[in-house]
Amino acid sequence: MELLTTTNGMEVVYQKPPTLTDTPLRYCPGCGHGVVHKLLMEVVDEMKIQDQTIGVAPVGCSVFAYDYMNIDMQEAAHGRASAVATGIKRILPDKYVFSYQGDGDLAAIGTAETIHTVNRGENILIVFINNAIYGMTGGQMAPTTLLGMVTSTTPFGREQQVMGYPLKITDLVAQLPGAYYVTRQAVHTVQAVRKAKKAIRNAFVYQTRRQGTCFIEIVSNCPSGWKMTPVEANDWLEKNMLPFYPLGDLKVPAS
Amino acid sequence: MISPDTTHPPHSLRLRSGNQMMAEGALQAGCTFFAGYPITPATGIFKTMIDLLPARGGVALSAPDEISAVAYCIGASMRGAKAMTATSGPGWALMTESVQYALMTETPLVVALVQRLGPSTGGATQGGQGDVLLAEYCTSGGYTIPILCPTNARECYELTILAFTWAELFRVPVIVLSDKETGMTIESVDVGSLPSITSQNRPSNFAFRELGGFRQNERKGTYYFDAIHEIPVFAPVGGPRKVTATGSAHDKQGRLQKNSPETLEVLLHLEQKVRWRLDDFAVVTADLQPAAGTLIISYGITARAARDAVSEARRMGERVSHLIVHSLFPIPVKKITQAAHNVDEVIVAEENMNGLYRSVIDRHLAGKRVRGVNKIGAMITPQEILEAIMS
Ligand SMILES: Cc1ncc(C[n+]2csc(CCOP(=O)(O)OP(=O)(O)O)c2C)c(N)n1
Ligand code: SF4
């Protein structure tokens, strides 16, 4: 399907990207995952690279990503997405390859893969959905869980003495010489969504330069795990997540 | 060990899942250290430990993955803490490196493995009994790892206590092999009639010291034994005496060696200490009928369907025996051959594709017709087992 520009003589101002399938999203109402899926597929459609793009999404709430994104999608084992993406990219260096990982996946069980993928400067895009919780398994503490935040495995709030500090893995990644473009975005407001899309588009374009890894953190929400309505979750995100995970670029290409 | 549900009046019924009962059994056994990583269908054990253990002065730690979770437990156990972790198939795959390390270093450890449908990520919310051999044969060399298998929430409690006793006394990793249905089904448990026993402790050189044997043992080294099946006295790290542990092939003092005679003796000892005690490891529920022509063997969740099938078959006039195996490994050979003694036919019911347990007990059933009732993707029903009995 092509992007429409006009229909019945009227200008098209908004449409679902054709590469996003018609499958109803199984995400909870208000969840950020769906928005990021849409942005990715919008960029793929605008760049006309549907048949040149390969995604790797591991387990997590986005385990059904292959159902929503009409491109080649692989589901990797927990934590292994960027490693599988590495193998794909090394064999198909001309394709656009991205991984799509939650915070549990990328910053806990997959930390070694994350650090080494970026340190090698693999020419892939890593999309990192940070909702500060394990969504799929029912709301347990993640490495990114804020201090004091209540989850099912921190029933009295995350205590630094017991469970350490929330991990700013994006800041770590930005230190690595193999990182080419590192940015932190969000999708909780219209303005944030627009910026996030621009970042995703940049990252896809940068991938063709073969200068290193592009890494986009999306500070997202988990209304179910946080036990909030979607609106409350986005407010909470703004007031609590963003002060700790400030939005903006951490590393940008020289030119 | 397995006490029937009916010995006490049901005066204190509570709703409990198998996962909760496993955690409560661990606490009863004196477990003071738990580390976990979320994974369906085992998360309930982790969650219950997080809720209960710190309040009792223990440590319950969230790990960044299963590799760390099991390694934390081994470290804690090296000091003498009774330690446990819980996972399902994908996490178990990651733990096997350190489970081998626990076996090699003779470090007591209890792992709850709540099975789901595999392979790989498989079906997170779909049960199965497909990890039986993956669990048992996770070591290079195929060393015997004791595996206990509960069929309901109450047995989750009882067998977890027993698992700690075995881990402690024999200095081995012990697996409690549950499954999604046993772990996550909430059922009534008569908590008032639960056994008040706790698990036994490893003989440690704290005691040795008091007996005056400390210096002597020091010369002999961390892994010292005289007879091949003897359990070395446990020496905790961080004590007054230098302790070394190594996952490399080692002599009795824990010194790395490739294939010296003493090292090979230590390797043999790792297996013999379990084999020599085979009868101590046999836990079964035998419901045998004189002159039965057929024996049903089952374990875990499938045993509950088998029990129904057997009583229905008997109601229809069939003579049929039933053996529920709770200690899958080491294989309770005597109990199995005794139960099968006079029957012509043995039917092994298990929720996996190829009859995993059947494939390893087959050799002990020479001369019998051995069949399986197998299935994946759904629980085996009493009707399916009944049809096998009647056919
Ligand atoms: C080895 C292994 N351990 C644990 C799991 C269970 N598991 C599935 S998804 C997941 C984490 C989900 O959290 P996250 O990556 O933050 O993604 P979200 O669901 O929040 O989007 C876990 C622990 C698994 N599938 N494999
Ligand atoms: S559990 Fe959380 S992350 Fe998962 S779909 Fe629901 S809101 Fe989104």
Side-chain angles (χ1 to χ4, degrees), chain A residues 33 59-61 78 102-105 109 131 133-137, chain B residues 37-39 66 90-91 94 116:
Chain A
H33 272 303
V59 297
C61 283
H78 194 22
D103 41 49
D105 195 82
I109 195 167
N131 57 12
I133 208 160
Y134 288 81
M136 176 172 238
T137 42
Chain B
Y37 187 76
I39 186 163
E66 292 86 351
L94 297 178
R116 64 195 218 182

XYZ file of all heavy atoms in Angstrom, chain A residues 33 59-61 78 102-105 109 131 133-137, chain B residues 37-39 66 90-91 94 116, ligand 1:
208
model
N 4.103 1.847 23.719
C 4.623 0.940 22.684
C 3.985 1.212 21.313
O 4.663 1.281 20.299
C 4.334 -0.521 23.053
C 5.402 -1.154 23.904
N 6.715 -1.230 23.521
C 5.325 -1.777 25.110
C 7.412 -1.863 24.460
N 6.601 -2.202 25.445
N 11.463 -10.873 23.659
C 10.271 -11.003 24.473
C 10.078 -9.737 25.300
O 10.987 -8.956 25.478
C 10.325 -12.236 25.397
C 10.389 -13.497 24.588
C 11.498 -12.128 26.349
N 8.890 -9.555 25.783
C 8.478 -8.331 26.437
C 7.092 -8.045 25.884
O 6.565 -8.826 25.073
N 6.503 -6.948 26.286
C 5.151 -6.669 25.795
C 5.125 -6.550 24.273
O 4.106 -6.790 23.644
C 4.605 -5.405 26.440
S 4.055 -5.721 28.118
N 15.222 -13.504 25.286
C 15.271 -12.361 26.201
C 16.703 -11.826 26.337
O 17.596 -12.545 26.763
C 14.741 -12.836 27.553
C 14.416 -11.733 28.506
N 14.153 -10.442 28.116
C 14.299 -11.749 29.856
C 13.887 -9.710 29.182
N 13.978 -10.481 30.254
N 12.814 -3.543 25.479
C 12.371 -2.955 26.744
C 13.550 -2.767 27.685
O 14.670 -3.202 27.405
N 13.282 -2.129 28.824
C 14.381 -1.856 29.756
C 14.872 -3.126 30.442
O 16.061 -3.273 30.708
C 13.997 -0.788 30.783
C 12.583 -0.968 31.294
O 12.235 -2.082 31.683
O 11.824 0.013 31.282
N 13.963 -4.045 30.713
C 14.410 -5.311 31.285
C 15.314 -6.023 30.293
O 16.387 -6.522 30.630
N 14.883 -6.015 29.066
C 15.623 -6.730 28.032
C 16.978 -6.086 27.760
O 18.005 -6.761 27.707
C 14.781 -6.733 26.750
C 15.289 -7.735 25.760
O 14.941 -8.918 25.896
O 16.078 -7.341 24.878
N 19.017 -8.182 31.503
C 19.533 -9.462 31.003
C 20.374 -9.268 29.744
O 21.245 -10.071 29.444
C 18.350 -10.440 30.772
C 18.840 -11.874 30.603
C 17.497 -10.016 29.599
C 17.715 -12.897 30.699
N 10.224 1.991 30.274
C 9.014 2.283 31.054
C 9.232 1.976 32.536
O 8.292 1.842 33.305
C 7.793 1.527 30.497
C 8.013 0.028 30.446
O 8.975 -0.480 31.030
N 7.133 -0.687 29.780
N 9.885 -0.527 34.225
C 9.228 -1.687 34.843
C 9.264 -2.857 33.859
O 9.482 -2.659 32.664
C 7.767 -1.319 35.225
C 7.272 -2.141 36.415
C 6.820 -1.457 34.031
C 6.093 -1.531 37.133
N 9.105 -4.070 34.385
C 8.890 -5.229 33.519
C 7.394 -5.294 33.248
O 6.624 -5.658 34.129
C 9.313 -6.517 34.207
C 10.811 -6.683 34.337
C 11.515 -6.050 35.352
C 11.513 -7.480 33.448
C 12.882 -6.195 35.472
C 12.886 -7.634 33.568
C 13.558 -6.990 34.579
O 14.911 -7.141 34.690
N 6.992 -4.903 32.047
C 5.566 -4.879 31.743
C 4.999 -6.276 31.599
O 4.070 -6.681 32.295
N 5.610 -7.038 30.708
C 5.005 -8.307 30.329
C 4.826 -9.284 31.479
O 3.826 -9.984 31.555
C 5.823 -8.980 29.245
C 5.278 -10.353 28.901
S 6.074 -11.065 27.507
C 4.685 -11.326 26.447
N 5.793 -9.349 32.372
C 5.715 -10.358 33.430
C 4.915 -9.874 34.640
O 4.865 -10.566 35.653
C 7.126 -10.794 33.866
O 7.947 -9.625 33.955
C 7.730 -11.754 32.871
N 14.531 -13.723 39.159
C 14.337 -12.880 37.992
C 12.948 -13.230 37.470
O 12.603 -14.412 37.407
C 15.416 -13.184 36.937
C 15.383 -12.234 35.767
C 15.875 -10.942 35.895
C 14.849 -12.618 34.545
C 15.835 -10.061 34.836
C 14.806 -11.734 33.475
C 15.297 -10.455 33.623
O 15.255 -9.586 32.575
N 12.141 -12.230 37.108
C 10.744 -12.541 36.756
C 10.638 -13.475 35.555
O 11.336 -13.273 34.559
C 10.149 -11.177 36.391
C 11.113 -10.146 36.851
C 12.442 -10.792 36.967
N 9.830 -14.473 35.665
C 9.488 -15.295 34.502
C 8.220 -16.083 34.823
O 8.143 -16.763 35.852
C 10.651 -16.234 34.072
C 10.297 -16.965 32.774
C 11.014 -17.225 35.159
C 11.487 -17.581 32.050
N 18.939 -14.465 35.122
C 19.006 -15.744 35.828
C 20.440 -16.180 36.090
O 20.712 -16.927 37.024
C 18.278 -16.827 35.035
C 16.769 -16.642 34.942
C 16.316 -15.746 33.816
O 17.187 -15.104 33.169
O 15.099 -15.663 33.553
N 13.290 -21.087 29.943
C 14.293 -20.186 29.360
C 15.336 -19.724 30.377
O 16.523 -19.613 30.060
C 13.451 -19.006 28.861
C 12.094 -19.583 28.622
C 11.915 -20.617 29.686
N 14.903 -19.464 31.598
C 15.842 -19.053 32.632
C 16.712 -20.221 33.079
O 17.898 -20.057 33.380
N 19.760 -20.644 31.108
C 20.859 -19.747 31.471
C 21.524 -20.148 32.787
O 22.664 -19.823 33.035
C 20.336 -18.314 31.591
C 19.785 -17.702 30.310
C 19.259 -16.297 30.580
C 20.853 -17.652 29.230
N 7.130 -24.626 31.633
C 6.142 -24.137 30.690
C 6.445 -24.803 29.356
O 7.467 -25.486 29.208
C 6.199 -22.611 30.595
C 7.508 -22.051 30.032
C 7.601 -20.565 30.312
N 8.193 -19.805 29.222
C 8.399 -18.486 29.278
N 8.071 -17.809 30.357
N 8.919 -17.837 28.260
C 15.575 -16.045 30.009
C 14.245 -15.434 30.271
N 13.987 -14.917 31.487
C 12.812 -14.340 31.760
C 11.837 -14.288 30.804
C 10.493 -13.684 31.132
N 10.317 -12.341 30.571
C 9.615 -12.153 29.430
S 9.551 -10.563 28.980
C 10.426 -10.066 30.315
C 10.764 -8.636 30.578
C 9.831 -7.658 30.074
O 10.229 -6.384 30.453
P 10.852 -5.318 29.451
O 11.991 -5.881 28.693
O 11.144 -4.103 30.258
O 9.690 -5.036 28.375
P 8.171 -4.548 28.609
O 7.366 -5.783 28.749
O 8.136 -3.666 29.817
O 7.851 -3.820 27.366
C 10.769 -11.165 31.104
C 11.523 -11.061 32.356
C 12.129 -14.857 29.545
N 11.236 -14.856 28.561
N 13.328 -15.414 29.305
